[in-house]
Protein backbone atom coordinates (compact mmCIF):
# COMPACT_ATOMS: atom_id res chain seq x y z
CA UNK A 1 0.00 0.00 0.00
CA UNK A 2 1.24 3.49 -0.76
CA UNK A 3 -0.17 6.99 -0.85
CA UNK A 4 -0.85 6.90 -4.60
CA UNK A 5 -3.25 3.95 -4.39
CA UNK A 6 -6.39 6.06 -4.04
CA UNK A 7 -9.53 5.53 -6.07
CA UNK A 8 -13.05 6.93 -6.33
CA UNK A 9 -16.33 5.34 -5.25
CA UNK A 10 -19.99 6.19 -5.44
CA UNK A 11 -21.12 7.41 -2.05
CA UNK A 12 -24.58 7.70 -3.51
CA UNK A 13 -25.82 6.34 -6.84
CA UNK A 14 -27.75 8.32 -9.39
CA UNK A 15 -29.46 8.40 -12.75
CA UNK A 16 -29.14 10.48 -15.91
CA UNK A 17 -30.59 10.49 -19.41
CA UNK A 18 -29.33 11.21 -22.91
CA UNK A 19 -31.44 11.44 -26.06
CA UNK A 20 -30.05 10.81 -29.54
CA UNK A 21 -32.36 10.89 -32.60
CA UNK A 22 -35.38 10.04 -30.45
CA UNK A 23 -33.68 7.07 -28.77
CA UNK A 24 -33.66 7.44 -24.95
CA UNK A 25 -30.62 6.24 -23.04
CA UNK A 26 -31.29 6.05 -19.29
CA UNK A 27 -28.18 5.47 -17.17
CA UNK A 28 -28.51 4.16 -13.62
CA UNK A 29 -25.41 3.83 -11.41
CA UNK A 30 -25.01 2.18 -8.04
CA UNK A 31 -22.21 1.23 -5.70
CA UNK A 32 -21.59 -2.54 -5.76
CA UNK A 33 -18.86 -4.11 -3.63
CA UNK A 34 -18.98 -7.56 -5.25
CA UNK A 35 -19.79 -9.20 -8.56
CA UNK A 36 -22.90 -10.72 -6.98
CA UNK A 37 -24.16 -7.26 -6.01
CA UNK A 38 -23.41 -5.95 -9.49
CA UNK A 39 -25.30 -8.74 -11.27
CA UNK A 40 -28.19 -8.43 -8.84
CA UNK A 41 -28.38 -4.73 -9.72
CA UNK A 42 -28.34 -5.57 -13.44
CA UNK A 43 -31.22 -8.00 -13.00
CA UNK A 44 -33.14 -5.41 -11.00
CA UNK A 45 -32.81 -2.90 -13.84
CA UNK A 46 -33.83 -5.49 -16.42
CA UNK A 47 -37.03 -6.14 -14.48
CA UNK A 48 -37.71 -2.44 -13.98
CA UNK A 49 -37.20 -1.66 -17.67
CA UNK A 50 -38.56 -4.92 -19.03
CA UNK A 51 -40.09 -3.18 -22.06
CA UNK A 52 -36.81 -1.62 -23.24
CA UNK A 53 -34.94 -2.99 -26.24
CA UNK A 54 -31.56 -3.03 -24.48
CA UNK A 55 -30.22 -2.97 -20.92
CA UNK A 56 -26.47 -2.76 -21.38
CA UNK A 57 -24.15 -2.81 -18.40
CA UNK A 58 -20.63 -2.37 -17.11
CA UNK A 59 -19.17 -2.88 -13.66
CA UNK A 60 -15.80 -2.71 -12.01
CA UNK A 61 -15.07 -4.24 -8.60
CA UNK A 62 -11.96 -4.25 -6.43
CA UNK A 63 -9.59 -1.63 -5.02
CA UNK A 64 -7.47 -1.98 -8.15
CA UNK A 65 -10.34 -2.72 -10.49
CA UNK A 66 -9.40 -6.39 -10.57
CA UNK A 67 -12.82 -7.48 -11.85
CA UNK A 68 -14.32 -5.64 -14.81
CA UNK A 69 -17.18 -6.88 -16.97
CA UNK A 70 -19.49 -5.38 -19.56
CA UNK A 71 -22.27 -6.40 -21.93
CA UNK A 72 -23.67 -4.90 -25.16
CA UNK A 73 -26.98 -6.75 -24.63
CA UNK A 74 -27.71 -7.11 -28.32
CA UNK A 75 -26.18 -3.88 -29.54
CA UNK A 76 -23.35 -4.20 -32.12
CA UNK A 77 -20.19 -5.50 -30.45
CA UNK A 78 -18.13 -2.88 -28.65
CA UNK A 79 -20.67 -0.06 -29.01
CA UNK A 80 -22.23 -0.08 -25.53
CA UNK A 81 -20.67 -2.04 -22.66
CA UNK A 82 -17.05 -1.23 -23.48
CA UNK A 83 -17.58 2.55 -23.80
CA UNK A 84 -19.57 2.48 -20.55
CA UNK A 85 -16.73 0.66 -18.77
CA UNK A 86 -14.20 3.12 -20.16
CA UNK A 87 -16.08 5.99 -18.53
CA UNK A 88 -15.86 4.27 -15.13
CA UNK A 89 -12.17 3.45 -15.51
CA UNK A 90 -11.38 6.91 -16.89
CA UNK A 91 -12.97 8.48 -13.79
CA UNK A 92 -10.95 6.09 -11.53
CA UNK A 93 -14.20 4.74 -10.10
CA UNK A 94 -14.21 1.33 -8.42
CA UNK A 95 -16.91 -0.86 -6.88
CA UNK A 96 -19.60 0.52 -9.16
CA UNK A 97 -22.04 -0.73 -11.76
CA UNK A 98 -23.79 1.16 -14.54
CA UNK A 99 -26.81 0.02 -16.53
CA UNK A 100 -27.90 1.99 -19.58
CA UNK A 101 -31.44 1.29 -20.74
CA UNK A 102 -32.23 2.12 -24.35
CA UNK A 103 -35.67 2.81 -25.71
CA UNK A 104 -35.33 2.73 -29.50
CA UNK A 105 -36.52 5.87 -31.27
CA UNK A 106 -36.90 4.38 -34.75
CA UNK A 107 -33.68 5.79 -36.24
CA UNK A 108 -30.47 3.75 -36.51
CA UNK A 109 -27.52 5.56 -34.96
CA UNK A 110 -24.60 3.65 -36.46
CA UNK A 111 -21.65 2.41 -34.43
CA UNK A 112 -20.19 5.87 -33.80
CA UNK A 113 -23.54 7.22 -32.68
CA UNK A 114 -24.07 4.32 -30.31
CA UNK A 115 -20.63 4.67 -28.72
CA UNK A 116 -21.24 8.38 -28.21
CA UNK A 117 -24.73 7.85 -26.78
CA UNK A 118 -23.76 5.14 -24.29
CA UNK A 119 -20.69 7.11 -23.22
CA UNK A 120 -22.63 10.31 -22.72
CA UNK A 121 -25.45 8.55 -20.87
CA UNK A 122 -23.05 7.24 -18.21
CA UNK A 123 -21.47 10.69 -17.89
CA UNK A 124 -24.92 12.20 -17.37
CA UNK A 125 -25.65 9.59 -14.71
CA UNK A 126 -22.39 10.34 -12.91
CA UNK A 127 -23.34 14.01 -12.69
CA UNK A 128 -26.19 12.98 -10.41
CA UNK A 129 -24.10 10.67 -8.20
CA UNK A 130 -22.22 11.64 -5.07
CA UNK A 131 -18.62 10.56 -5.51
CA UNK A 132 -15.88 10.31 -2.89
CA UNK A 133 -12.22 9.35 -2.96
CA UNK A 134 -11.00 6.34 -1.02
CA UNK A 135 -7.48 6.78 0.29
CA UNK A 136 -5.11 4.23 1.83
CA UNK A 137 -4.35 4.45 5.51
CA UNK A 138 -4.53 2.76 8.86
CA UNK A 139 -7.11 2.03 11.49
CA UNK A 140 -5.27 2.95 14.66
CA UNK A 141 -5.92 3.12 18.38
CA UNK A 142 -4.51 5.86 20.56
CA UNK A 143 -4.39 5.53 24.32
CA UNK A 144 -3.29 8.28 26.69
CA UNK A 145 -4.04 9.65 30.15
CA UNK A 146 -6.34 12.53 30.97
CA UNK A 147 -3.42 14.96 31.10
CA UNK A 148 -2.46 14.11 27.54
CA UNK A 149 -5.84 13.88 25.83
CA UNK A 150 -6.18 17.64 25.33
CA UNK A 151 -2.87 17.78 23.48
CA UNK A 152 -3.79 14.71 21.40
CA UNK A 153 -7.15 16.19 20.39
CA UNK A 154 -5.45 19.49 19.53
CA UNK A 155 -3.05 17.71 17.17
CA UNK A 156 -5.89 15.71 15.62
CA UNK A 157 -7.84 18.90 15.03
CA UNK A 158 -4.85 20.50 13.31
CA UNK A 159 -4.60 17.43 11.07
CA UNK A 160 -8.31 17.54 10.27
CA UNK A 161 -8.90 14.15 11.86
CA UNK A 162 -11.85 13.19 14.03
CA UNK A 163 -11.93 10.05 16.18
CA UNK A 164 -14.24 7.33 14.89
CA UNK A 165 -14.81 6.22 18.48
CA UNK A 166 -13.77 7.42 21.95
CA UNK A 167 -13.76 5.50 25.24
CA UNK A 168 -13.18 7.25 28.55
CA UNK A 169 -12.16 4.87 31.33
CA UNK A 170 -8.99 4.64 33.41
CA UNK A 171 -7.35 6.17 30.37
CA UNK A 172 -8.70 7.59 27.09
CA UNK A 173 -8.79 5.43 23.98
CA UNK A 174 -9.47 6.84 20.54
CA UNK A 175 -10.10 4.88 17.35
CA UNK A 176 -8.82 6.70 14.26
CA UNK A 177 -8.61 6.44 10.50
CA UNK A 178 -5.25 7.94 9.55
CA UNK A 179 -3.97 8.58 6.01
CA UNK A 180 -0.96 6.46 5.12
CA UNK A 181 1.42 9.37 4.58
CA UNK A 182 0.44 11.16 7.82
CA UNK A 183 0.70 8.31 10.32
CA UNK A 184 4.42 8.50 11.21
CA UNK A 185 4.48 12.27 11.70
CA UNK A 186 1.29 12.18 13.75
CA UNK A 187 2.70 9.48 16.02
CA UNK A 188 5.92 11.48 16.57
CA UNK A 189 4.04 14.71 17.32
CA UNK A 190 1.79 12.98 19.83
CA UNK A 191 4.71 11.30 21.57
CA UNK A 192 6.48 14.66 21.86
CA UNK A 193 3.36 16.50 23.06
CA UNK A 194 2.59 13.95 25.79
CA UNK A 195 6.23 13.31 26.79
CA UNK A 196 5.78 9.71 25.68
CA UNK A 197 2.64 9.12 27.78
CA UNK A 198 0.63 7.65 24.95
CA UNK A 199 0.36 4.54 22.83
CA UNK A 200 -0.24 4.58 19.08
CA UNK A 201 -1.16 1.12 17.80
CA UNK A 202 -1.89 0.32 14.16
CA UNK A 203 -4.69 -2.23 13.98
CA UNK A 204 -4.95 -2.78 10.23
CA UNK A 205 -4.42 -1.28 6.80
CA UNK A 206 -7.63 0.11 5.34
CA UNK A 207 -9.11 2.36 2.70
CA UNK A 208 -11.47 5.10 3.85
CA UNK A 209 -13.26 8.11 2.40
CA UNK A 210 -11.00 11.15 2.21
CA UNK A 211 -12.01 14.07 4.40
Amino acid sequence: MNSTDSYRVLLEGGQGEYVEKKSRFIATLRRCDSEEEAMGFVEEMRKRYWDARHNCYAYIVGERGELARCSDDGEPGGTAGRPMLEVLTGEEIRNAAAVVTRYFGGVLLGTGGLVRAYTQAVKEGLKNCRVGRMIPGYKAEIATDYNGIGKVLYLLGNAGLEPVKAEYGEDVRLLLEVPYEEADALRRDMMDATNGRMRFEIIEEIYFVSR
Side-chain angles (χ1 to χ4, degrees), residues 3-11 31 63 89-94 130-136 207-211:
S3 60
T4 63
D5 288 338
S6 65
Y7 60 94
R8 301 172 79 211
V9 294
L10 303 182
L11 301 178
R31 177 167 177 168
E63 293 165 357
T89 56
E91 293 289 335
E92 298 181 347
I93 290 176
R94 304 287 184 268
R130 194 160 64 90
V131 180
R133 181 166 289 279
M134 300 291 285
I135 61 172
Y207 281 84
F208 62 97
V209 179
S210 174
R211 58 185 182 272

Side-chain angles (χ1 to χ4, degrees), residues 57-118:
Y57 67 82
Y59 60 83
I60 183 165
V61 175
E63 293 165 357
R64 300 181 184 278
E66 298 92 332
L67 182 63
R69 299 283 187 272
C70 60
S71 169
D72 297 311
D73 193 34
E75 294 281 31
T79 63
R82 177 57 58 181
M84 292 167 60
L85 185 60
E86 287 176 353
V87 174
L88 297 180
T89 56
E91 293 289 335
E92 298 181 347
I93 290 176
R94 304 287 184 268
N95 295 348
V99 176
V100 175
T101 302
R102 181 189 182 189
Y103 285 97
F104 185 56
V107 179
L108 296 175
L109 302 184
T111 56
L114 288 171
V115 169
R116 181 173 61 253
Y118 279 99

Side-chain angles (χ1 to χ4, degrees), residues 40-184:
F41 168 58
V42 171
E43 289 305 313
E44 180 185 328
M45 293 299 102
R46 282 175 172 164
K47 290 176 182 177
R48 178 181 301 179
Y49 297 109
W50 59 271
D51 57 339
R53 179 169 290 197
H54 305 283
N55 282 289
C56 306
Y57 67 82
Y59 60 83
I60 183 165
V61 175
E63 293 165 357
R64 300 181 184 278
E66 298 92 332
L67 182 63
R69 299 283 187 272
C70 60
S71 169
D72 297 311
D73 193 34
E75 294 281 31
T79 63
R82 177 57 58 181
M84 292 167 60
L85 185 60
E86 287 176 353
V87 174
L88 297 180
T89 56
E91 293 289 335
E92 298 181 347
I93 290 176
R94 304 287 184 268
N95 295 348
V99 176
V100 175
T101 302
R102 181 189 182 189
Y103 285 97
F104 185 56
V107 179
L108 296 175
L109 302 184
T111 56
L114 288 171
V115 169
R116 181 173 61 253
Y118 279 99
T119 297
Q120 192 60 39
V122 176
K123 289 181 178 180
E124 292 298 321
L126 276 174
K127 290 178 183 178
N128 296 314
C129 295
R130 194 160 64 90
V131 180
R133 181 166 289 279
M134 300 291 285
I135 61 172
Y138 302 110
K139 181 181 289 185
E141 184 182 73
I142 295 171
T144 187
D145 57 28
Y146 283 85
N147 290 325
I149 188 60
K151 297 170 184 177
V152 167
L153 290 175
Y154 175 78
L155 289 171
L156 291 179
N158 282 349
L161 298 174
E162 290 187 12
V164 176
K165 183 180 178 182
E167 293 182 358
Y168 291 83
E170 291 184 4
D171 58 8
V172 183
R173 297 173 184 267
L174 305 177
L175 190 65
L176 291 178
E177 294 173 337
V178 185
Y180 176 85
E181 68 275 10
E182 297 178 22
D184 287 342

